Structures are given as structure tokens and as C-alpha cells.
């Protein structure tokens, strides 16, 4: 075929398309292949165009079921762009038409995708009974923050949209956590218990998380390890881990006895785990926040959070209430003995 004849074929694309749309479904694929032979496309590109035409004739039902976007569909046909530019532009116009008819989701260009990932990534790193849910809901009240819960909680998978059986730790990070969001989102984060969330489907969670680019760490601690241990023991008994802000449920008062050795072991294991985490994440920016400060001087802590995450100022309001309202002195029946035995030791600071 001469160049002039090829150009004429290109100009007849509209008529050719009309013939394709009128062709019986069982004969369409063979007809399209025969008609495309004039363009001398490679096999994969030809197949992609054939599949596109056949799906278009079906009113895009397959595209709709699979939730495909226009750019998903055009990608296998990029070979047409250089070989036959007019055919590529013609197909591109048909994709735009399919998007208008809602057969396909709207195409997303690389610039838009990049803009939808331009947010600050962060993690709240804590331990149970340290105010994790309070801080998470506090940050979640910001209109420009998206925050997930305990994303690697192997023991609470019924609350997650994935499981260790079907999702790797890398997929959790890339597909469920730090994916594209609306452009107004300034920061995206999740909660991580450093003493529990260490392994996921055979992978080291710390290694995967440490590999996240520009990840900032909010290190939440509860200065009183005694209060944390008492709260932990109570929650293990009543199975209540967090409550709503307006929860006024009256719960029976619990009395606990915590031995000196039990408390020291709890403190030592916590400090060792904390030191290991800080060492592993030494290359990341870390903001230290203590639960006691979050309760006593919320405004100061809120300002530090705004600054650390680089987000616009907004009023922050936690979505959870304080479960433990009784002073630890009325819960731990041997607290005076503990204070006496640990006075002057390095553990006194954590009472």
C-alpha cells in the first residue's frame, strides 16, 4: 500500500468504526484484525485494539465491572501512537466518549497522580493504654488529615479490609495506607504498636515501615508505666479498650495488686523495646509526645503536632473519652509499698 493509500485509510476511520459497531459480535474480532492489517501493527498492539473495539461494542460492560479508568485501557495501545498517530487519536476520542457514558472511570494523568500523593506521611508509634486512640482521633478531626488505625494488628484483623493471608506488609503500605488521596489532604498516617506490630505475614514490619520515604514518627509514651500497666490489666479483664467521648457508663471498681518484680519487668521490657525502635528509626524525624502532656496541656501539644506535620492550623478534638477516671492510688492496693520499694531507683520516674 502506498503512503497516499494509507492516508486515505486513516481518513476513513469513522466509516470503519461504524462498520465495526454494526458487525455481528461473533465476527467482530476477525473483522477488526483484517481491517487493522493495513496498519502493520505488532501482535500485542493489534490484540489490544481488537479487545478495545469488541468491548466498546458491548457498551463497556466489562470495563465497568472491573472498575477500569480510561488511562488503564489506553495503556496497552501506546504502540499505536507512533505507528499510526491518527488511529491513536481516534481511539483516544472513543475512550473519552466511553468516560462520558460512564463505561470507564476518568483518566488520570501522571501530574494528577503525583499531586494526589503530595502529603506528609506519618505514624503514631505507641503501646497499648498510652492514649493511642485519643491521639489518632484527635488528628483525624483535622479536615486535611487521613489517618488509619492499627494497620498491622494481627489480632484485630476483623477490623481491617485485608488480612495476613492475602496482603503483604508492602501492599498494606502502598495500596491501603499511602495511596492517592484528594489533593486537599495534607497528611496521611496510621497507628503502630511497637511492642505488638513487629511481624506481618512473615515480614518484619519495622523494616517495611522504615523504608517509607519521608515518614515522620510521633512517638507516644505514657510516662507512668505503673498507670499503663494497671490500665492494661483492667482492660484485659473487662475487654474495654476505648470508649466514646460521651460515654458515662458506670463500671465496677477494680482493685489490683502489682508486685515490685512485675512492675520492674514491665518497665524494663518497655524501655528495651523503645530503645530498639528508636535505633531502627534513627534516620527519621521523631516527635516525642507524652500522654500526660496531651491531657494536661493539650493546646501546646496540638501546636507541636501542627508544626511537626507541616499542616494548616485547625481545632483538634479527640473522638474518644478517658476510660480510667479513678486515680491509680485507688486501683493499686499496694501502691504505697511500690513507691517505698522503688524510691531512689531509676524506676521511681515511671510510677
Amino acid at each position: 500500500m502506498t503512503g497516499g493509500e494509507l492516508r486515505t485509510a486513516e481518513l476513513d476511520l469513522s466509516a470503519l468504526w461504524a462498520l465495526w459497531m454494526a458487525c455481528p459480535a461473533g465476527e467482530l474480532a476477525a473483522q477488526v484484525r483484517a481491517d487493522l492489517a493495513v496498519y502493520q501493527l505488532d501482535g500485542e498492539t493489534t490484540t489490544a485494539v481488537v479487545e478495545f473495539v469488541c468491548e466498546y461494542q458491548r457498551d463497556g460492560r466489562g470495563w465497568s465491572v472491573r472498575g477500569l479508568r480510561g488511562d488503564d485501557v489506553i495503556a496497552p495501545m501506546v504502540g499505536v501512537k507512533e505507528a499510526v498517530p491518527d488511529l491513536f487519536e481516534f481511539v483516544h476520542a472513543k475512550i473519552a466518549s466511553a468516560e462520558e457514558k460512564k463505561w470507564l472511570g476518568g483518566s488520570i494523568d501522571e501530574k494528577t497522580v503525583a499531586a494526589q500523593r503530595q502529603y506528609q506521611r506519618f505514624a503514631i508509634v505507641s503501646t497499648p493504654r498510652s492514649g493511642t486512640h485519643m491521639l489518632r482521633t484527635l488528628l483525624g478531626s483535622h479536615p486535611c488529615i487521613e489517618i488509619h488505625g492499627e494497620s498491622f494488628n494481627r489480632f484485630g484483623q476483623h477490623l481491617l479490609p485485608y488480612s495476613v493471608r492475602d496482603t503483604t506488609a508492602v501492599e498494606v503500605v502502598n495500596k491501603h495506607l499511602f495511596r492517592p488521596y484528594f489533593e486537599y489532604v495534607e497528611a496521611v498516617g496510621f497507628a503502630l504498636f511497637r511492642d505488638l506490630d513487629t511481624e506481618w505475614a512473615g515480614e518484619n514490619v519495622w523494616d517495611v515501615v522504615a523504608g517509607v520515604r519521608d515518614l515522620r514518627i510521633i512517638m507516644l509514651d505514657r510516662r507512668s508505666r505503673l498507670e499503663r500497666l494497671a490500665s492494661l490489666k483492667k482492660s484485659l479483664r473487662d475487654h474495654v479498650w476505648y470508649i466514646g467521648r460521651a460515654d458515662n457508663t458506670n463500671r465496677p471498681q477494680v482493685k489490683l495488686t502489682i508486685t515490685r518484680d512485675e512492675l520492674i519487668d514491665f518497665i524494663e521490657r518497655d524501655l528495651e523495646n523503645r530503645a530498639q525502635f528508636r535505633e531502627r528509626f534513627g534516620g527519621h524525624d521523631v516527635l516525642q509526645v507524652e500522654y500526660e502532656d496531651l491531657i494536661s496541656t493539650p493546646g501546646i501539644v496540638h501546636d507541636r503536632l501542627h508544626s511537626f506535620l507541616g499542616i494548616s492550623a485547625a481545632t483538634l478534638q479527640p473522638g474518644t473519652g478517658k476510660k480510667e477516671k479513678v486515680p491509680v492510688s485507688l486501683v493499686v492496693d499496694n501502691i504505697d509499698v511500690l513507691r517505698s520499694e522503688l524510691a531512689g531507683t531509676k524506676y521511681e520516674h515511671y510510677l
Side-chain angles (χ1 to χ4, degrees):
M1 175 175 285
T2 66
E5 290 173 325
L6 180 59
R7 184 64 183 170
T8 300
E10 292 169 350
L11 293 174
D12 286 340
L13 286 171
S14 294
L16 189 59
W17 183 266
L19 290 174
W20 286 343
M21 293 299 101
C23 184
E27 303 172 11
L28 181 58
Q31 184 63 55
V32 175
R33 284 187 179 278
D35 293 334
L36 289 177
V38 68
Y39 295 115
Q40 300 178 349
L41 301 171
D42 64 72
E44 289 186 5
T45 302
T46 297
T47 297
V49 177
V50 170
E51 291 177 351
F52 173 78
V53 176
C54 292
E55 181 59 30
Y56 201 99
Q57 191 191 62
R58 293 192 293 266
D59 295 339
R61 289 189 292 271
W63 294 332
S64 180
V65 167
R66 296 166 61 193
L68 294 180
R69 300 188 311 266
D71 48 325
D72 294 325
V73 173
I74 197 67
M77 294 184 279
V78 293
V80 179
K81 188 172 186 179
E82 293 184 4
V84 194
D86 286 358
L87 176 59
F88 183 79
E89 290 304 317
F90 187 84
V91 170
H92 213 283
K94 292 301 179 184
I95 286 179
S97 177
E99 291 174 346
E100 291 177 7
K101 294 173 182 176
K102 309 304 182 195
W103 298 348
L104 287 168
S107 298
I108 303 177
D109 57 34
E110 292 183 4
K111 183 177 180 181
T112 299
V113 172
Q116 292 176 342
R117 290 184 181 274
Q118 293 303 309
Y119 49 76
Q120 177 60 58
R121 295 159 176 78
F122 72 93
I124 297 173
V125 177
S126 181
T127 51
R129 316 314 303 156
S130 294
T132 311
H133 293 293
M134 176 185 292
L135 180 55
R136 180 177 63 82
T137 58
L138 181 81
L139 290 172
S141 70
H142 193 291
C144 298
I145 290 181
E146 291 285 342
I147 187 161
H148 304 267
E150 302 158 47
S151 301
F152 293 99
N153 186 346
R154 304 189 307 281
F155 309 107
Q157 291 180 59
H158 62 289
L159 295 173
L160 300 175
Y162 48 84
S163 74
V164 295
R165 294 186 300 276
D166 57 29
T167 312
T168 67
V170 172
E171 288 173 335
V172 172
V173 168
N174 295 329
K175 294 183 179 181
H176 293 277
L177 300 180
F178 302 128
R179 53 182 173 77
Y181 291 87
F182 289 114
E183 287 89 336
Y184 66 78
V185 174
E186 299 174 343
V188 176
F190 69 100
L192 175 73
F193 283 146
R194 57 178 167 79
D195 58 344
L196 291 177
D197 303 332
T198 57
E199 182 180 314
W200 179 272
E203 296 177 271
N204 185 298
V205 171
W206 290 12
D207 287 344
V208 172
V209 173
V212 175
R213 176 182 56 84
D214 189 31
L215 179 73
R216 295 188 179 179
I217 304 293
I218 300 174
M219 195 83 160
L220 177 63
D221 279 312
R222 189 166 186 169
R223 189 161 52 244
S224 175
R225 268 49 172 198
L226 174 59
E227 289 187 8
R228 186 162 81 80
L229 178 56
S231 180
L232 179 60
K233 290 171 77 72
K234 287 180 66 177
S235 291
L236 288 170
R237 286 188 183 185
D238 61 25
H239 304 291
V240 177
W241 296 93
Y242 46 85
I243 63 173
R245 197 171 59 206
D247 187 293
N248 293 314
T249 303
N250 290 320
R251 296 182 177 84
Q253 187 167 331
V254 176
K255 298 291 284 186
L256 300 171
T257 298
I258 297 177
T259 69
R260 174 183 180 277
D261 290 344
E262 180 184 15
L263 179 57
I264 289 177
D265 180 63
F266 183 77
I267 295 172
E268 287 286 3
R269 285 188 289 108
D270 179 70
L271 295 179
E272 180 181 5
N273 175 267
R274 187 181 188 280
Q276 291 173 348
F277 188 90
R278 288 301 297 260
E279 181 179 4
R280 181 66 186 85
F281 287 80
H284 294 262
D285 290 337
V286 178
L287 174 67
Q288 178 64 48
V289 175
E290 292 194 331
Y291 169 80
E292 287 82 359
D293 295 335
L294 198 57
I295 297 297
S296 63
T297 57
I300 294 176
V301 176
H302 295 182
D303 288 345
R304 292 173 63 204
L305 291 168
H306 280 111
S307 178
F308 182 68
L309 296 177
I311 55 177
S312 55
T315 300
L316 302 179
Q317 183 70 50
T320 61
K322 183 175 174 58
K323 179 195 171 190
E324 309 299 346
K325 300 176 181 178
V326 178
V328 69
S329 59
L330 298 179
V331 175
V332 179
D333 56 16
N334 63 325
I335 191 169
D336 291 335
V337 174
L338 288 173
R339 286 171 174 166
S340 175
E341 291 179 338
L342 299 179
T345 72
K346 64 179 182 179
Y347 306 108
E348 183 178 20
H349 174 75
Y350 303 106
L351 294 177

